Amino acid sequence: MSAETLVALLHGPDQPGLVAKTAGWIFTRGGNILHADQHRDLEEGVFFQRIEWEPSASSSAHAEVDAFQEFAGVLGMQSSVAATTKRTRVALFVSKADHCFHDLVLRWRANEFPCEIVAVVSNHETLEPVARGYGLPFYHVPVTAATKADAEARQMALLRELDVELVVLARYMQVLSAEMLTAFGRPVINIHHSFLPAFAGGKPYHQAYQRGVKLIGATAHYATRMLDEGPIIQQDVARVTHRHSVDDLVRRGRDLEKTVLAQAVRWHLEHRVLVYGNKTVVFD
Amino acid sequence: MSAETLVALLHGPDQPGLVAKTAGWIFTRGGNILHADQHRDLEEGVFFQRIEWEPSASSSAHAEVDAFQEFAGVLGMQSSVAATTKRTRVALFVSKADHCFHDLVLRWRANEFPCEIVAVVSNHETLEPVARGYGLPFYHVPVTAATKADAEARQMALLRELDVELVVLARYMQVLSAEMLTAFGRPVINIHHSFLPAFAGGKPYHQAYQRGVKLIGATAHYATRMLDEGPIIQQDVARVTHRHSVDDLVRRGRDLEKTVLAQAVRWHLEHRVLVYGNKTVVFD
Amino acid sequence: MSAETLVALLHGPDQPGLVAKTAGWIFTRGGNILHADQHRDLEEGVFFQRIEWEPSASSSAHAEVDAFQEFAGVLGMQSSVAATTKRTRVALFVSKADHCFHDLVLRWRANEFPCEIVAVVSNHETLEPVARGYGLPFYHVPVTAATKADAEARQMALLRELDVELVVLARYMQVLSAEMLTAFGRPVINIHHSFLPAFAGGKPYHQAYQRGVKLIGATAHYATRMLDEGPIIQQDVARVTHRHSVDDLVRRGRDLEKTVLAQAVRWHLEHRVLVYGNKTVVFD
Amino acid sequence: MSAETLVALLHGPDQPGLVAKTAGWIFTRGGNILHADQHRDLEEGVFFQRIEWEPSASSSAHAEVDAFQEFAGVLGMQSSVAATTKRTRVALFVSKADHCFHDLVLRWRANEFPCEIVAVVSNHETLEPVARGYGLPFYHVPVTAATKADAEARQMALLRELDVELVVLARYMQVLSAEMLTAFGRPVINIHHSFLPAFAGGKPYHQAYQRGVKLIGATAHYATRMLDEGPIIQQDVARVTHRHSVDDLVRRGRDLEKTVLAQAVRWHLEHRVLVYGNKTVVFD
């Protein structure tokens, strides 16, 4: 049986002794550090750390989380602390394309993701049967230009009711409005089917074909108000040639989209991703 | 001793029987096809072919080249035919950075490139000693905003005098004007230090760092009037993380630039690259 | 509606004029070549070709196949010709691991594979529900050391009854005997979870971990009497570090196994793979 | 001006509080940790750490090194500590092939390697002019089966006289005897032109060609008594097809050999590689 561990992500103004102070705090309370990884942005003078530890058997995880956050605050650091036994509550947003959906669900069933998938939300009914086949609750929320505000209100109500902590846009073909992102206030991961910032916007495979690039890509990023410009979590590319039609790019791109999105989701769920400014620090 | 072979690159409106006709023409004249590779752009209805053959012992390469081009014209095809024993005359344009320069020259000395390097042209004197150390003629042509037209006139005179057939911009830090590209009228290969079309323009590694991408790239392309928008020959990427500073990106990028440019130059010299519209067909 | 096309794979002693002869034969009969790709093994003096064409509207595919094979025989070539509208009949052999199974079936449902999956055969009952969920016929054939000969006889009877043309061992944890491979006499594709020839045999991820390699791999190959030594169709690798436990290698390896096996199966089904000696020529 | 920093590599039996203790020791003495990275081998119960810090302005680097080593010893850890301003003294061993030689020297001149190249040692005179062209001392030590012991004695005398701290076998075509490795007693990095453990021994590209692999590789490892079986530092691969002859594999392999060896040497010189058992921990 694996003991409960805690993971803290912290960042703030760099200063001497931070590594010693966080490690010392944990050690003094009887905890045992399993992993500690830090990074300094020398230009910006910012310190980043991910630290995972087993608290002492006598302490409660809940109390430890609170105590650490108070301690980090004293150091002038922003922090988030999570117990690894707490499984993140995830909603998958999908449309008609099913490749990322199947891939995420099958990985989840293979225990690759420490999460609960509490809802599948779609603007189409296409994937309802497969979602139900996996035993997942499916919510059909149609979206049109005219009904978008209402639809987002329904989605938000659902996310609140289910206490969703992470939304994954698994080739969901609607843009979440800035209002909805703000209202949700929790992370939303999107997969864009190009190597951003190249080919932002619609129909990236068509754009790539027109430009004659020799590699196509996919990018997983946090959704922000600025479409396709949120902090990048993971990217990858695949080689293509003049022999590949747009359809071939679409097919090959599906494999990229699956693996890039899955990797980003795994890192997020394992508390490995720290956002600052418009960039990410990924402690892998 | 390897016999002389000819390579034809042709393209034009697709029609039934093209493969049979070109192969039949060569066979009938006693030639032996070594490689034949073709591609159809089904959308545009264009046929592309690279065909390499040994002409019959009794024919002259020169006569065979002329005869093939006439034959291709009858088929409605544009063609260029080259004898592989004819070594392309190349000028390398450099500034101060030397990594691509060393890489190209060392590969050339290792017999990776079927060409003659007939000139090293630079707007700085920095690389004169190493060029001379390699036994290469070095031409210093300073360029300022005020003197650019004159400098290009000197460069053009040199290219004409030396009958240069290919210019390679090996991290040459000046833009060749549209007038000069037109006046030269022969291929110019440039290496751009990003995964185009992302981060076109200046300081691409700084742009990449600012955007927080997880892969950096390099792109070899033919230079055209449209800066950074010419037909792409080759691209590659390397993984980077938040740990990499701009200087690290520059260092890692140097390796990409070297291999991407070398690959593009090799393909060009082996008559494997066919340009149409703003794209390339690479018969590798 | 896409017209029916034929694909021929041929190989035999090299001789002048082969490209012209095959292209000429098709053209003369009113066919239109869509793709033609050839290769010469200069050392062995062998010519290889894949040629795909639309026969003339007036000819029957069946007659054309026979005529081409006769023609190829006259040229001294071994050939196989297939109509692309004929979907290959495939049996998937599985055990308990389901990642390659799901991946292949989902790609098949996404129309990536021109085949019929006519049977799922397993030595365990584990995957019966998911196979049935996909609407696929499932056959449970238990195998023990004592019953292996009987089990293979049952498997062979099934393969014959269903006229199976390709067996895919999708992480099937039993070795097919030389007798069974001979009796079947048709291609069998296996996925081995290492970069062969490194780590042949059992527990390759454990072997890789012990050796401390920095890349792990997967290899799809045709199964032959010589275990793990059949002709390689496709291979790929992924980077690992000292941080990865054997379990991590297993997890990361699953992604490699899926994509490598899927690529090999696709190439096979598209008649792109030609075996000679213990190697493959892949016309991709 | 960059201040002097110290780097410690340590490993030993895992125990609670190690991260806190090393960080605390440095902090207490007025040092500032720049990087700290650790790893636990949970199976073996071993703790590994790389820690880089600026000592306080008032302390001498020499005294700090001694003090840290004493401290690590008390913790039961083996450690090595180096000042990053101390440039490692390197000898390059070469034969006739020059690609890795040029690559290493050019990177060194581009300030990619914090080292001094104090000798180029070769069993042939081929590279003497280029070594001298780079201003490097060249030592010709011929080796035959009959004279090997004498030759190694001469080499050892040279290494001792020059206080060489690292030998890099840059495609040196002789095996260093177990006796010489023991006598030298310091690290020796070799580049093997295959993806070890596949194709150990001689002529790996020929072996790869015969086996029909779809990827070729290169491996940088520490040389040990067991030929081609020392701890692996870095590996990489490149894709090949049936179109590639052995000569093509050799050419493509040269690029792999250069980048893999350069990466391994850089990591070693930056004190990022920790050997334990027959494996490496690379803190990159």
Side-chain angles (χ1 to χ4, degrees), chain A residues 83-102:
Chain A
T84 54
T85 48
K86 167 78 176 65
R87 294 166 75 82
T88 303
R89 297 173 66 80
V90 175
L92 301 183
F93 278 44
V94 298
S95 290
K96 292 179 177 173
D98 65 355
H99 55 287
C100 285
F101 172 70
H102 281 298

Side-chain angles (χ1 to χ4, degrees), chain A residues 92-134:
Chain A
L92 301 183
F93 278 44
V94 298
S95 290
K96 292 179 177 173
D98 65 355
H99 55 287
C100 285
F101 172 70
H102 281 298
D103 186 71
L104 291 171
V105 175
L106 288 169
R107 289 178 192 274
W108 171 65
R109 284 158 58 124
N111 296 316
E112 289 188 22
F113 293 147
C115 71
E116 298 303 333
I117 299 179
V118 298
V120 178
V121 179
S122 182
N123 55 333
H124 294 283
E125 292 176 301
T126 318
L127 298 185
E128 176 153 9
V130 289
R132 298 215 183 279
Y134 285 125

Side-chain angles (χ1 to χ4, degrees), chain A residues 60 116 137 171 213 225 235 250:
Chain A
S60 89
E116 298 303 333
R171 296 302 312 276
V213 289
R225 287 160 164 275
Q235 303 185 287
V250 169

Side-chain angles (χ1 to χ4, degrees), chain A residues 175 190-208 211 213 217-219 221 226-230 232 235, chain B residues 195-199 211:
Chain A
V175 176
N190 183 44
I191 179 75
H192 184 82
H193 37 316
S194 84
F195 179 71
L196 288 173
F199 312 130
K203 293 198 169 290
Y205 293 127
H206 288 78
Q207 293 185 56
R211 181 62 187 90
V213 289
T219 303
H221 63 93
M226 306 301 288
L227 188 62
D228 299 336
E229 296 187 11
I232 293 171
Q235 303 185 287
Chain B
F195 180 72
L196 289 173
F199 311 130
R211 181 61 187 90

Side-chain angles (χ1 to χ4, degrees), chain B residues 16-248:
Chain B
L18 286 172
V19 174
K21 284 173 187 166
T22 54
W25 187 89
I26 290 166
F27 181 56
T28 306
R29 295 170 68 92
N32 188 27
I33 294 173
L34 299 178
H35 303 285
D37 198 359
Q38 46 277 326
H39 171 61
R40 276 188 173 71
D41 185 322
L42 295 174
E43 221 172 287
E44 306 278 340
V46 182
F47 175 87
F48 304 87
Q49 190 174 43
R50 180 186 188 271
I51 190 162
E52 181 172 357
W53 74 98
E54 289 175 344
S56 81
S58 62
S59 69
S60 88
H62 193 272
E64 206 69 5
V65 165
D66 287 351
F68 188 91
Q69 282 178 322
E70 194 186 321
F71 160 72
V74 171
L75 288 178
M77 297 278 130
Q78 287 185 263
S79 69
S80 69
V81 191
T84 54
T85 48
K86 167 79 176 63
R87 293 165 76 83
T88 303
R89 297 173 66 79
V90 174
L92 301 183
F93 277 45
V94 298
S95 290
K96 291 179 177 173
D98 65 355
H99 54 287
C100 285
F101 172 69
H102 281 298
D103 187 71
L104 292 171
V105 175
L106 289 169
R107 288 178 192 276
W108 172 65
R109 284 159 57 124
N111 296 316
E112 287 189 23
F113 294 148
C115 70
E116 298 302 334
I117 299 179
V118 298
V120 179
V121 179
S122 182
N123 54 335
H124 294 284
E125 291 177 300
T126 318
L127 298 185
E128 177 154 7
V130 288
R132 298 213 184 278
Y134 284 126
L136 295 171
F138 182 90
Y139 301 89
H140 178 219
V141 184
V143 182
T144 65
T147 66
K148 177 143 183 162
D150 284 352
E152 289 199 338
R154 285 184 57 197
Q155 290 169 343
M156 264 311 303
L158 185 64
L159 297 179
R160 287 216 176 97
E161 182 189 324
L162 296 172
D163 190 23
V164 167
E165 297 164 301
L166 172 70
V167 167
V168 178
L169 305 178
R171 295 302 312 276
Y172 180 63
M173 301 303 277
Q174 296 284 330
V175 175
L176 298 197
S177 72
E179 292 67 33
M180 170 142 179
L181 290 171
T182 305
F184 181 48
R186 292 177 170 184
V188 175
I189 296 177
N190 183 44
I191 179 75
H192 185 83
H193 38 316
S194 84
F195 180 72
L196 289 173
F199 311 130
K203 293 199 170 288
Y205 292 126
H206 288 78
Q207 293 185 56
Y209 180 82
Q210 287 304 326
R211 181 61 187 90
V213 289
K214 301 303 187 184
L215 298 168
I216 56 166
T219 302
H221 64 91
Y222 289 111
T224 64
R225 289 161 163 275
M226 307 301 288
L227 189 62
D228 298 336
E229 295 187 11
I232 293 171
I233 308 169
Q234 172 69 335
Q235 303 186 287
D236 207 355
V237 296
R239 197 157 288 282
V240 294
T241 76
H242 60 274
R243 299 200 181 279
H244 293 94
S245 65
V246 172
D247 285 350
D248 293 327

